[in-house]
Amino acid sequence: MAKLIFSDIDGTLINSKQEVTPKTKLAIRQQIIKGNVFIPVSARMPQAIMTVAGQITKSCPMVAYNGALVLDEMGQPLNSCFMTAAKAAEICTYIESKNNGVVWNVYSGYNWYYFPGNNRRVRNEEAIVRVKAQPSSIAEVKKLKGVHKILLMGAPELLDATQKDLQGLYPEFYIVKSASNLLEVVVKGVSKGQGARAIAQEFGVDLKDCWAFGDNYNDEKMLEAVGHPVIMGNAPENLKKKFRTTLDNNHDGIALILNQLN
């Protein structure tokens, strides 16, 4: 039976130069040749996942938006969980009212919208994921059919306070940091672990026979869901205490483990 190999992207699959190293590419391709399935799992949107995964393989299943959108290798949705546009607009209004430098981004399907008041952080994110965002407004957000994810960008200490505030105001949402300066908001019940379950069910594979690699708190539920979880050496210390640890993302931590499977 094929093994499923789930991997986070930022801080895990790519190094600090935003590259998949030749050693990691080769290790994953060797697993694909053996008949195993590589599945990128990310807070990113689908196009931004493929800017990385496409360096390894031409097509693959994927888990986008922290699990809010799960696609098979043909790009067909296996699962899609979204909040209403009205609720997303409400959260964005709250963020704007604070006027503290935190900026909102809204993701709906294959589209990325942002508040154009502070472009620096958005430009930086565009450069990392190699996808262009569209300037928008709360009035435009209200017209969307649904929202898969809200991404908040800001200084780490401001996002810590924002996370606490939003958790009190919106208990129906799962609010988690994917990086020190990035805070993700999705529907409660959505997680990378739930996305991994949807893929495993599609392939008829038990999660206890699956591998997963991650480096941050939004990877935790995925790591807990599989039988073979691996945390990167660059992860927070409290996560490294919970899971088997490999080398960091700058030293081919994924390749080290996959080559042991060979």
Side-chain angles (χ1 to χ4, degrees):
M1 181 180 291
K3 293 186 179 74
L4 303 185
I5 301 167
F6 298 97
S7 177
D8 169 55
I9 292 180
D10 297 281
T12 302
L13 183 62
I14 58 176
N15 61 18
S16 57
K17 295 180 180 178
Q18 318 302 322
E19 300 167 338
V20 185
T21 65
K23 196 171 181 179
T24 294
K25 282 183 194 176
L26 179 60
I28 294 172
R29 284 173 178 165
Q30 286 175 335
Q31 291 298 321
I32 294 171
I33 289 168
K34 288 171 65 177
N36 297 324
V37 183
F38 166 66
I39 304 112
V41 182
S42 180
R44 292 183 178 209
M45 63 194 301
Q47 301 98 306
I49 289 176
M50 283 312 297
T51 61
V52 175
Q55 300 173 39
I56 301 166
T57 181
K58 293 299 181 186
S59 66
C60 57
M62 70 175 68
V63 177
Y65 299 136
N66 279 328
L69 182 60
V70 182
L71 304 174
D72 68 14
E73 63 271 29
M74 301 299 292
Q76 297 300 310
L78 299 175
N79 196 22
S80 181
C81 302
F82 47 85
M83 67 186 78
T84 65
K87 187 62 72 171
E90 187 180 314
I91 293 173
C92 294
T93 300
Y94 174 81
I95 295 301
E96 282 193 25
S97 72
K98 288 293 185 179
N99 194 28
N100 60 2
V102 174
V103 295
W104 59 259
N105 299 258
V106 163
Y107 296 81
S108 178
Y110 286 83
N111 296 303
W112 170 14
Y113 306 98
Y114 73 97
F115 169 64
N118 185 341
N119 292 352
R120 179 178 58 84
R121 294 186 187 277
V122 176
R123 296 289 88 83
N124 183 58
E125 186 70 8
E126 285 179 328
I128 291 170
V129 302
R130 300 175 201 171
V131 176
K132 292 292 288 182
Q134 304 174 48
S136 190
S137 65
I138 290 172
E140 291 301 312
V141 169
K142 288 178 179 178
K143 296 176 184 177
L144 297 174
K145 291 183 178 179
V147 170
H148 283 102
K149 184 185 83 166
I150 296 172
L151 172 65
L152 305 177
M153 301 173 174
E157 63 278 6
L158 285 174
L159 289 186
D160 288 340
T162 301
Q163 181 178 22
K164 186 176 180 181
D165 290 346
L166 290 178
Q167 284 171 336
L169 291 168
Y170 300 100
E172 69 269 36
F173 293 116
Y174 176 50
I175 303 166
V176 64
K177 274 192 162 185
S178 57
S180 63
N181 62 336
L182 300 175
L183 184 64
E184 318 269 348
V185 183
V186 292
V187 175
K188 204 154 202 175
V190 163
S191 71
K192 291 185 177 183
Q194 173 258 346
R197 270 187 206 92
I199 297 281
Q201 184 175 352
E202 177 73 7
F203 279 88
V205 175
D206 195 314
L207 277 171
K208 69 180 176 58
D209 297 321
C210 297
W211 291 78
F213 297 87
D215 78 303
N216 222 311
Y217 294 105
N218 63 329
D219 299 314
E220 195 169 5
K221 290 184 182 295
M222 172 179 70
L223 295 170
E224 290 170 344
V226 301
H228 303 281
V230 182
I231 197 81
M232 305 300 287
N234 48 292
E237 288 301 318
N238 57 338
L239 289 180
K240 289 196 282 186
K241 290 175 183 176
K242 288 186 64 174
F243 305 105
R244 177 183 180 182
T245 304
T246 186
L247 298 176
D248 65 38
N249 62 320
N250 287 320
H251 294 90
D252 296 295
I254 290 178
L256 176 68
I257 301 297
L258 293 185
N259 289 338
Q260 291 172 1
L261 294 183
N262 291 331

